[in-house]
Amino acid sequence: MKVLKLAKAKITHGIYVCFFLTFAFNTPTASAVNKAGDYRQLGLFYRQQGRYPEAIAAMEKSVELEPKNLSGRVNLGWTLHLAGKEQQAAQSLWQAIYQKPTFVPAYNALGIVYLVDGNLTAAVLVHTWAAILKTDNEIAYFNLSLALHRLQIYNLAITTANRAAFLEPNNPHPLVASAIAYWDSGDKDSAKKVYTKAMSLDSRYSDKTFLSHLKQAAFSPEQIKKTEEILSNRV
């Protein structure tokens, strides 16, 4: 019995080794679809480690092997975006949209690419369409708010941020977006109240040093400074 268990352990170990070597030498032995899936998983693994060149290469291989997989193109676009390659990211996402003009995840990602790249009008248009296609799309409403705030269209920024907060009540980001829009609209009392709600969801928002992480949620440096201002003047 012990010998049998040892043999099974060796076989299992060998399978893992072969799986690793398959990726390492770019010679997967599965079907084309399975190979594409393997490369996507490898790309996600690299992306989690911040190894963007390797992640992009793996994602590109997955798209090459399975060009009609829309999620694969969105994964590639998002990885390019995280690597700071916004134009290439947009191209990949548009390719997904050309294949399926109603594919909401591609619009969500494309809108964020435009938002981070400073193309605010395009970000508003893309996210508005994403919200039309999916009316409970909290991602679209949240990013619409950030773009509209930067365009100084504060009333609509407040409306969209509050809609996002309603759709995703446990996420403090829409509340922060709403707070900065209220603040710049001149309604500082509402800004303080909304920001207090954000802190009740996540106490870290009471710590000024924590707010730099908002960059990862597509807040601009100016919007992060505005958040710090609200926190400093909350009482």
Side-chain angles (χ1 to χ4, degrees), residues 76-94:
L76 173 58
W78 189 249
T79 305
L80 288 163
H81 160 67
L82 292 174
K85 300 179 182 294
E86 306 300 348
Q87 292 185 350
Q88 292 174 253
Q91 289 175 0
S92 178
L93 295 167
W94 274 116

Side-chain angles (χ1 to χ4, degrees), residues 19 23 33-49 51 54-63 65-66 69 71-72 75-76 79:
F19 185 72
F23 283 136
V33 172
N34 287 336
K35 285 194 291 187
D38 290 343
Y39 278 113
R40 279 194 295 275
Q41 291 301 317
L42 182 61
L44 291 172
F45 173 75
Y46 283 140
R47 193 171 78 186
Q48 290 174 348
Q49 293 185 326
R51 297 167 61 182
E54 294 98 326
I56 292 168
M59 294 290 188
E60 287 177 336
K61 187 65 176 179
S62 77
V63 169
L65 292 169
E66 198 174 14
N69 187 298
S71 295
N75 274 329
L76 173 58
T79 305

Side-chain angles (χ1 to χ4, degrees), residues 154-182:
Y154 299 127
N155 288 339
L156 283 177
I158 292 167
T159 299
T160 50
N162 289 344
R163 175 65 176 165
F166 172 78
L167 291 170
E168 197 173 12
N170 295 321
N171 186 351
H173 290 158
L175 293 173
V176 176
S178 178
I180 62 176
Y182 272 122

Side-chain angles (χ1 to χ4, degrees), residues 93-232:
L93 295 167
W94 274 116
Q95 287 170 356
I97 291 169
Y98 292 149
Q99 289 189 37
K100 186 177 180 180
T102 58
F103 193 56
V104 172
Y107 287 106
N108 284 343
L110 181 62
I112 295 172
V113 168
Y114 284 141
L115 176 62
V116 172
D117 201 33
N119 193 341
L120 301 179
T121 301
V124 168
L125 291 173
V126 170
H127 279 307
T128 297
W129 183 240
I132 291 171
L133 290 173
K134 186 175 184 287
T135 56
D136 60 346
N137 186 351
E138 73 283 350
I139 296 173
Y141 286 110
F142 165 64
N143 288 293
L144 261 175
S145 177
L146 293 180
L148 290 165
H149 174 262
R150 290 171 64 179
L151 289 168
Q152 300 181 15
I153 308 175
Y154 299 127
N155 288 339
L156 283 177
I158 292 167
T159 299
T160 50
N162 289 344
R163 175 65 176 165
F166 172 78
L167 291 170
E168 197 173 12
N170 295 321
N171 186 351
H173 290 158
L175 293 173
V176 176
S178 178
I180 62 176
Y182 272 122
W183 189 267
D184 280 342
S185 74
D187 189 350
K188 299 190 184 309
D189 287 339
S190 293
K192 294 175 184 178
K193 290 178 183 178
V194 172
Y195 194 81
T196 299
K197 291 181 181 179
M199 290 193 300
S200 70
L201 290 177
D202 190 335
S203 61
R204 292 176 297 177
Y205 283 89
S206 62
D207 181 1
K208 186 177 180 180
T209 60
F210 174 73
L211 299 182
S212 61
H213 100 287
L214 288 171
K215 180 181 178 181
Q216 299 175 16
F219 283 76
S220 70
E222 293 76 15
Q223 288 173 325
I224 294 174
K225 289 180 181 178
K226 190 67 60 176
T227 306
E228 293 173 351
E229 184 179 342
I230 295 172
L231 178 59
S232 298

